Amino acid sequence: MPDLIHDGDSAAAVSSLRSAVMLLSRRLKHQRVDESLSPTEMSVLGTLARCGSATPGELARKEHVQPPSMTRIVALLEAKGLVRLEPHPDDRRQKVVSQTEQAEAMLQESRSKRNAWLTALAEGLDEDEWETLRKAAPVPPPSVSET
C-alpha cells in the first residue's frame, strides 16, 4: 500500500477519485422521483428501509441531526403519507417511526430511475473498465438495500 500522504501521485489519484465520486453522487441525487422531498427526507426514508422502524431519537443519531430536527422531518414525512407513527412497545412516552407502502414504492421507483441513468452512463465502458469497476465495487450481499 503506498504512503498516500507522502506520495504525490497517489495523493493526486485519491483527490481525483474523491472529486469524481462527489460529482457522481450529486448527479445521482438529481435522478429522484419525487422532487418535493429534500435530500434529508430521502435519507431518512432510506434509513428506515435499510434498518427498519426506529424512534425519532434513533433516527436522529443515525442521520447525524439533532432530535428536534428529526421530529420536524418525521412530521413532514407523516403529513406526506410516507411514514407512520405507532406507540413504542416498551415505552409509552415514545413513538416508533416506520415507512409506509407508499414510501417503499417511491424508494423502489427512485432506485430504478437512478440505476437506469447510471446504466446508460456506463454503457460506454470497455471490458477493461468494467473489470476495474467490478473490482472496485463488488456486488453487495442480497440483504443490503440501497436508497
Side-chain angles (χ1 to χ4, degrees):
M1 173 98 177
D3 181 356
L4 298 179
I5 295 173
H6 298 101
D7 180 354
D9 288 341
S10 295
V14 167
S15 181
S16 178
L17 176 62
R18 177 197 45 78
S19 180
V21 168
M22 290 180 68
L23 176 62
L24 179 61
S25 176
R26 282 193 302 271
R27 291 182 69 189
L28 279 169
K29 285 179 185 176
H30 289 289
Q31 301 301 313
R32 296 184 312 185
V33 171
D34 188 336
E35 292 291 326
S36 71
L37 294 178
S38 72
T40 302
E41 291 169 325
M42 286 294 293
S43 182
V44 169
L45 291 177
T47 296
L48 288 170
R50 277 189 311 279
C51 302
S53 299
T55 66
E58 292 167 337
L59 284 172
R61 282 188 293 283
K62 290 177 182 181
E63 292 294 317
H64 305 283
V65 300
Q66 294 299 313
S69 296
M70 185 55 65
T71 299
R72 285 189 295 277
I73 294 165
V74 168
L76 290 169
L77 291 171
E78 184 182 30
K80 294 174 183 180
L82 299 172
V83 299
R84 66 180 154 269
L85 294 170
E86 299 165 338
H88 192 283
D90 300 324
D91 185 349
R92 299 181 70 91
R93 298 170 296 170
Q94 293 194 56
K95 298 285 185 181
V96 175
V97 182
S98 55
Q99 71 175 1
T100 64
E101 294 75 25
Q102 179 183 346
E104 190 175 334
M106 187 200 57
L107 286 171
Q108 182 56 46
E109 186 179 351
S110 184
R111 283 185 205 108
S112 294
K113 182 178 179 182
R114 290 191 315 264
N115 284 347
W117 177 83
L118 192 54
T119 297
L121 183 68
E123 285 178 342
L125 298 177
D126 64 29
E127 191 52 44
D128 289 340
E129 291 166 326
W130 267 112
E131 184 60 30
T132 300
L133 181 61
R134 283 187 202 100
K135 287 178 183 176
V139 175
S143 62
V144 175
S145 176
E146 300 175 42
T147 59

Tab-separated table of all heavy atoms in Angstrom, residues 13-38:
chain	number	residue	atom	x	y	z
A	13	ALA	N	-4.263	10.905	-7.102
A	13	ALA	CA	-5.259	9.914	-7.513
A	13	ALA	C	-6.417	9.868	-6.517
A	13	ALA	O	-7.585	9.801	-6.914
A	13	ALA	CB	-4.615	8.536	-7.651
A	14	VAL	N	-6.094	9.922	-5.231
A	14	VAL	CA	-7.138	9.925	-4.202
A	14	VAL	C	-8.005	11.178	-4.340
A	14	VAL	O	-9.228	11.123	-4.265
A	14	VAL	CB	-6.524	9.819	-2.789
A	14	VAL	CG1	-7.546	10.135	-1.711
A	14	VAL	CG2	-5.936	8.429	-2.571
A	15	SER	N	-7.384	12.302	-4.562
A	15	SER	CA	-8.123	13.548	-4.734
A	15	SER	C	-9.025	13.484	-5.963
A	15	SER	O	-10.184	13.923	-5.934
A	15	SER	CB	-7.156	14.728	-4.840
A	15	SER	OG	-7.862	15.931	-4.987
A	16	SER	N	-8.522	12.943	-7.039
A	16	SER	CA	-9.305	12.799	-8.260
A	16	SER	C	-10.486	11.854	-8.040
A	16	SER	O	-11.605	12.129	-8.498
A	16	SER	CB	-8.408	12.283	-9.384
A	16	SER	OG	-9.151	12.095	-10.557
A	17	LEU	N	-10.254	10.757	-7.341
A	17	LEU	CA	-11.320	9.803	-7.036
A	17	LEU	C	-12.396	10.471	-6.182
A	17	LEU	O	-13.587	10.338	-6.455
A	17	LEU	CB	-10.756	8.576	-6.328
A	17	LEU	CG	-11.783	7.533	-5.869
A	17	LEU	CD1	-12.536	6.960	-7.068
A	17	LEU	CD2	-11.083	6.435	-5.078
A	18	ARG	N	-11.983	11.196	-5.149
A	18	ARG	CA	-12.934	11.892	-4.279
A	18	ARG	C	-13.799	12.844	-5.092
A	18	ARG	O	-15.021	12.870	-4.973
A	18	ARG	CB	-12.200	12.660	-3.181
A	18	ARG	CG	-13.131	13.480	-2.276
A	18	ARG	CD	-12.376	14.538	-1.476
A	18	ARG	NE	-11.410	15.295	-2.242
A	18	ARG	CZ	-11.729	16.302	-3.077
A	18	ARG	NH1	-12.970	16.660	-3.252
A	18	ARG	NH2	-10.776	16.949	-3.732
A	19	SER	N	-13.168	13.608	-5.954
A	19	SER	CA	-13.890	14.570	-6.777
A	19	SER	C	-14.884	13.865	-7.704
A	19	SER	O	-16.037	14.294	-7.838
A	19	SER	CB	-12.888	15.390	-7.589
A	19	SER	OG	-13.540	16.319	-8.388
A	20	ALA	N	-14.457	12.784	-8.317
A	20	ALA	CA	-15.333	12.043	-9.234
A	20	ALA	C	-16.509	11.414	-8.489
A	20	ALA	O	-17.647	11.443	-8.975
A	20	ALA	CB	-14.536	10.962	-9.967
A	21	VAL	N	-16.253	10.862	-7.310
A	21	VAL	CA	-17.326	10.247	-6.518
A	21	VAL	C	-18.340	11.304	-6.086
A	21	VAL	O	-19.549	11.085	-6.143
A	21	VAL	CB	-16.747	9.484	-5.302
A	21	VAL	CG1	-17.832	9.099	-4.319
A	21	VAL	CG2	-15.990	8.240	-5.774
A	22	MET	N	-17.849	12.467	-5.670
A	22	MET	CA	-18.757	13.542	-5.267
A	22	MET	C	-19.607	14.017	-6.434
A	22	MET	O	-20.807	14.244	-6.291
A	22	MET	CB	-17.969	14.689	-4.637
A	22	MET	CG	-17.395	14.316	-3.275
A	22	MET	SD	-16.457	15.641	-2.518
A	22	MET	CE	-17.748	16.809	-2.180
A	23	LEU	N	-19.006	14.165	-7.605
A	23	LEU	CA	-19.749	14.578	-8.792
A	23	LEU	C	-20.807	13.536	-9.149
A	23	LEU	O	-21.969	13.875	-9.422
A	23	LEU	CB	-18.805	14.810	-9.971
A	23	LEU	CG	-19.469	15.156	-11.298
A	23	LEU	CD1	-20.253	16.461	-11.193
A	23	LEU	CD2	-18.414	15.246	-12.397
A	24	LEU	N	-20.436	12.278	-9.141
A	24	LEU	CA	-21.381	11.206	-9.438
A	24	LEU	C	-22.518	11.203	-8.420
A	24	LEU	O	-23.694	11.078	-8.789
A	24	LEU	CB	-20.668	9.844	-9.454
A	24	LEU	CG	-21.544	8.636	-9.729
A	24	LEU	CD1	-22.201	8.735	-11.100
A	24	LEU	CD2	-20.718	7.367	-9.610
A	25	SER	N	-22.193	11.373	-7.166
A	25	SER	CA	-23.213	11.411	-6.121
A	25	SER	C	-24.204	12.549	-6.357
A	25	SER	O	-25.424	12.355	-6.259
A	25	SER	CB	-22.547	11.562	-4.752
A	25	SER	OG	-23.509	11.693	-3.746
A	26	ARG	N	-23.696	13.728	-6.667
A	26	ARG	CA	-24.590	14.868	-6.929
A	26	ARG	C	-25.485	14.595	-8.132
A	26	ARG	O	-26.681	14.900	-8.122
A	26	ARG	CB	-23.777	16.143	-7.155
A	26	ARG	CG	-23.273	16.760	-5.878
A	26	ARG	CD	-22.754	18.173	-6.108
A	26	ARG	NE	-21.695	18.274	-7.082
A	26	ARG	CZ	-20.396	18.164	-6.817
A	26	ARG	NH1	-19.998	17.948	-5.578
A	26	ARG	NH2	-19.507	18.280	-7.769
A	27	ARG	N	-24.907	14.016	-9.171
A	27	ARG	CA	-25.700	13.740	-10.377
A	27	ARG	C	-26.756	12.673	-10.110
A	27	ARG	O	-27.883	12.765	-10.597
A	27	ARG	CB	-24.782	13.347	-11.527
A	27	ARG	CG	-23.941	14.568	-11.981
A	27	ARG	CD	-23.048	14.271	-13.134
A	27	ARG	NE	-23.833	14.055	-14.343
A	27	ARG	CZ	-23.307	13.600	-15.474
A	27	ARG	NH1	-22.014	13.315	-15.544
A	27	ARG	NH2	-24.062	13.408	-16.530
A	28	LEU	N	-26.423	11.669	-9.306
A	28	LEU	CA	-27.404	10.642	-8.947
A	28	LEU	C	-28.536	11.230	-8.113
A	28	LEU	O	-29.699	10.844	-8.267
A	28	LEU	CB	-26.737	9.495	-8.187
A	28	LEU	CG	-26.026	8.456	-9.036
A	28	LEU	CD1	-25.184	7.541	-8.172
A	28	LEU	CD2	-27.019	7.659	-9.864
A	29	LYS	N	-28.208	12.169	-7.229
A	29	LYS	CA	-29.244	12.788	-6.395
A	29	LYS	C	-30.265	13.540	-7.235
A	29	LYS	O	-31.409	13.705	-6.821
A	29	LYS	CB	-28.609	13.722	-5.363
A	29	LYS	CG	-27.957	12.976	-4.225
A	29	LYS	CD	-27.320	13.918	-3.233
A	29	LYS	CE	-26.586	13.113	-2.178
A	29	LYS	NZ	-25.860	13.969	-1.246
A	30	HIS	N	-29.874	13.987	-8.418
A	30	HIS	CA	-30.800	14.694	-9.296
A	30	HIS	C	-31.730	13.744	-10.043
A	30	HIS	O	-32.627	14.201	-10.754
A	30	HIS	CB	-30.044	15.577	-10.297
A	30	HIS	CG	-29.417	16.768	-9.659
A	30	HIS	ND1	-30.137	17.827	-9.185
A	30	HIS	CD2	-28.119	17.050	-9.380
A	30	HIS	CE1	-29.328	18.721	-8.658
A	30	HIS	NE2	-28.097	18.273	-8.752
A	31	GLN	N	-31.533	12.466	-9.890
A	31	GLN	CA	-32.365	11.469	-10.568
A	31	GLN	C	-33.501	10.989	-9.667
A	31	GLN	O	-33.965	9.879	-9.777
A	31	GLN	CB	-31.500	10.272	-11.008
A	31	GLN	CG	-30.369	10.622	-11.934
A	31	GLN	CD	-30.855	11.286	-13.203
A	31	GLN	OE1	-31.803	10.831	-13.837
A	31	GLN	NE2	-30.214	12.383	-13.569
A	32	ARG	N	-33.961	11.850	-8.780
A	32	ARG	CA	-35.021	11.475	-7.844
A	32	ARG	C	-36.370	11.432	-8.546
A	32	ARG	O	-36.609	12.124	-9.529
A	32	ARG	CB	-35.085	12.471	-6.688
A	32	ARG	CG	-33.836	12.464	-5.857
A	32	ARG	CD	-33.959	13.374	-4.695
A	32	ARG	NE	-34.468	14.686	-5.118
A	32	ARG	CZ	-34.595	15.712	-4.315
A	32	ARG	NH1	-34.265	15.604	-3.076
A	32	ARG	NH2	-35.053	16.864	-4.760
A	33	VAL	N	-37.274	10.655	-7.980
A	33	VAL	CA	-38.629	10.535	-8.498
A	33	VAL	C	-39.498	11.660	-7.944
A	33	VAL	O	-40.268	12.274	-8.658
A	33	VAL	CB	-39.224	9.160	-8.125
A	33	VAL	CG1	-40.696	9.095	-8.452
A	33	VAL	CG2	-38.464	8.054	-8.836
A	34	ASP	N	-39.370	11.945	-6.663
A	34	ASP	CA	-40.208	12.948	-6.011
A	34	ASP	C	-39.352	14.144	-5.627
A	34	ASP	O	-38.633	14.116	-4.639
A	34	ASP	CB	-40.873	12.348	-4.770
A	34	ASP	CG	-41.906	13.267	-4.146
A	34	ASP	OD1	-41.816	14.499	-4.349
A	34	ASP	OD2	-42.794	12.767	-3.449
A	35	GLU	N	-39.440	15.197	-6.423
A	35	GLU	CA	-38.633	16.395	-6.186
A	35	GLU	C	-39.115	17.191	-4.979
A	35	GLU	O	-38.441	18.108	-4.540
A	35	GLU	CB	-38.622	17.286	-7.433
A	35	GLU	CG	-37.885	16.681	-8.606
A	35	GLU	CD	-36.387	16.581	-8.391
A	35	GLU	OE1	-35.797	17.451	-7.740
A	35	GLU	OE2	-35.796	15.595	-8.882
A	36	SER	N	-40.300	16.863	-4.451
A	36	SER	CA	-40.814	17.608	-3.306
A	36	SER	C	-40.123	17.198	-2.005
A	36	SER	O	-40.241	17.889	-1.004
A	36	SER	CB	-42.328	17.417	-3.168
A	36	SER	OG	-42.632	16.102	-2.733
A	37	LEU	N	-39.406	16.094	-2.014
A	37	LEU	CA	-38.693	15.645	-0.824
A	37	LEU	C	-37.271	16.192	-0.828
A	37	LEU	O	-36.597	16.178	-1.857
A	37	LEU	CB	-38.635	14.121	-0.756
A	37	LEU	CG	-39.959	13.395	-0.572
A	37	LEU	CD1	-39.728	11.897	-0.577
A	37	LEU	CD2	-40.647	13.830	0.699
A	38	SER	N	-36.822	16.631	0.331
A	38	SER	CA	-35.443	17.098	0.462
A	38	SER	C	-34.507	15.891	0.487
A	38	SER	O	-34.937	14.766	0.777
A	38	SER	CB	-35.285	17.903	1.752
A	38	SER	OG	-35.342	17.041	2.878
